[in-house]
Amino acid sequence: MSFRALITDKDAEGRVVSSVQMLDDTRLPEGDVTVDIDWAGLNYKDGLCLTGGGGLVRSYPHVGGIDFAGTVRDSADPRYAVGQAVVLTGWRVGETHWGGYAEQARVNADWLVPLPKGLSTRDAMVLGTAGLTAMLAIARLEAAGLKPDAGEVLVTGAAGGVGSIATSMLAKLGYQVAALSGRPQHAEALKALGAATIIDRHEFLAQPDKPLESARWDGAIDSVGGKVLGKLLKQVKYGGAVASLGNAGGIALETNVLPFILRGISLFGIDSVMQPYEARVAAWGRIAATFDLAAYAGLVREIGLEELPEAAEAILAGEVRGRVVVRVR
């Protein structure tokens, strides 16, 4: 049986290029479960894979797509029945293992999660890795003591996928959200998601830099890293915590020990790629009960497989707002 797929390969001159082709299902990699894919997502990491950036793809030809959702076509694992709706994020699928930019995928059963009731396969890709990571960050901050009746929670990179979903879910849970973004044109959209305060990133970074600054944030979710993370750590209140989950602003971290030893703050790293099965199931269940899909609808754009190469360039250039979902079938 043949199916459509976006094949990423290197041309004769060594350039990474992508095109939609027909493939025979005998070319699918090994795995326990074969999935008929309805929808996939577009993430920053997908942009790197489709353009050859970051050295994420080691072998060509390749099928990218680190997120996908669809229904089970065939399963050798008793947890999954034919026709069952499933979602996959992480596990380096789309990087070292063929991913979701195709009408079929074959994967390890442990990488899948049963789609929670109340979510369609399209809904799952509006959320995708961004939604899972945001929920894992919220849960980690709550485990450290963050409560809705506290003060402000800062979300950086708020106009991006993770940031916008984190803003929406925090507001739905009753938190007072301050949204930091370098794209002021998206301020009204962030307010519609529930942000109480909008902070311009350039103004934030332009404030005088001190070893310890005025304490403002009870907690923070940071998807930027670099200078933004270094500065916000100095502004976290006594006993507060920060969840770090991205590096759009760079991997370097310039800080000092004073926020940690004088205010007792905590910095948690959030990884969604290698999360175990049970943690994923729990997080997706809470996402389904929390996320306001209707309120987020204006931040979702649909594209087809053919449009992915252009969209990949756009997400790497910081030109994507909210989430892009890919119509696969």
Side-chain angles (χ1 to χ4, degrees):
M1 180 177 291
S2 60
F3 60 92
R4 294 171 69 245
L6 183 76
I7 300 297
T8 300
D9 207 346
K10 287 189 174 181
D11 64 15
E13 298 179 2
R15 295 174 300 187
V16 176
V17 295
S18 298
S19 62
V20 177
Q21 302 176 25
M22 296 299 296
L23 293 182
D24 190 88
D25 60 6
T26 57
R27 295 190 58 186
L28 287 170
E30 294 183 359
D32 307 308
V33 184
T34 303
V35 179
D36 286 329
I37 299 174
D38 298 328
W39 296 89
L42 176 68
N43 303 277
Y44 190 88
K45 191 179 286 187
D46 292 313
L48 292 173
C49 290
L50 291 181
T51 59
L56 298 180
V57 178
R58 306 292 177 84
S59 177
Y60 295 93
H62 181 68
V63 176
I66 69 171
D67 298 345
F68 66 76
T71 55
V72 174
R73 168 179 283 268
D74 182 68
S75 174
D77 188 286
R79 287 173 292 180
Y80 298 102
V82 173
Q84 183 177 0
V86 292
V87 57
L88 183 145
T89 64
W91 294 108
R92 301 206 69 191
V93 170
E95 300 175 54
T96 61
H97 189 98
W98 281 17
Y101 294 156
E103 291 179 331
Q104 286 188 27
R106 185 172 293 138
V107 296
N108 187 319
D110 288 335
W111 301 345
L112 294 167
V113 173
L115 194 65
K117 291 182 180 179
L119 290 181
S120 68
T121 51
R122 183 184 184 277
D123 295 339
M125 287 299 95
V126 170
L127 291 152
T129 284
L132 176 63
T133 308
M135 179 52 75
L136 291 170
I138 292 170
R140 190 66 184 88
L141 292 178
E142 290 177 335
L146 186 67
K147 293 181 173 57
D149 59 359
E152 292 180 291
V153 178
L154 180 67
V155 176
T156 73
V162 180
S164 57
I165 292 175
T167 296
S168 178
M169 289 198 292
L170 282 167
K172 186 73 178 293
L173 291 168
Y175 290 94
Q176 185 178 352
V177 182
L180 185 148
S181 175
R183 295 181 278 176
Q185 66 270 30
H186 301 317
E188 292 305 313
L190 291 170
K191 289 179 181 178
L193 292 180
T197 307
I198 307 298
I199 300 173
D200 183 271
R201 184 182 68 221
H202 305 292
E203 294 179 3
F204 176 79
L205 291 174
Q207 298 171 15
D209 199 20
K210 303 175 183 178
L212 203 61
E213 301 180 13
S214 296
R216 178 172 180 180
W217 318 115
D218 281 82
I221 294 178
D222 174 61
S223 61
V224 177
K227 293 181 179 179
V228 169
L229 177 56
K231 191 166 188 65
L232 79 85
L233 288 171
K234 303 169 186 178
Q235 301 177 3
V236 178
K237 290 182 180 179
Y238 189 90
V242 177
S244 171
L245 47 78
N247 61 349
I251 62 172
L253 176 58
E254 296 180 9
T255 188
N256 66 82
V257 300
L258 294 186
F260 300 94
I261 65 174
L262 296 184
R263 289 182 178 161
I265 74 165
S266 300
L267 175 61
F268 299 115
I270 306 298
D271 167 64
S272 66
V273 175
M274 307 303 289
Q275 284 287 320
Y277 177 80
E278 293 78 9
R280 291 171 184 269
V281 171
W284 275 103
R286 193 177 179 199
I287 290 169
T290 303
F291 189 60
D292 190 340
L293 283 155
Y296 198 81
L299 290 174
V300 180
R301 175 189 169 209
E302 290 185 11
I303 65 173
L305 289 175
E306 295 85 355
E307 300 167 86
L308 271 166
E310 182 179 353
E313 298 284 354
I315 199 168
L316 293 181
E319 298 170 354
V320 171
R321 180 186 74 160
R323 292 284 291 161
V324 175
V325 293
V326 184
R327 297 183 305 272
V328 176
R329 184 176 300 276

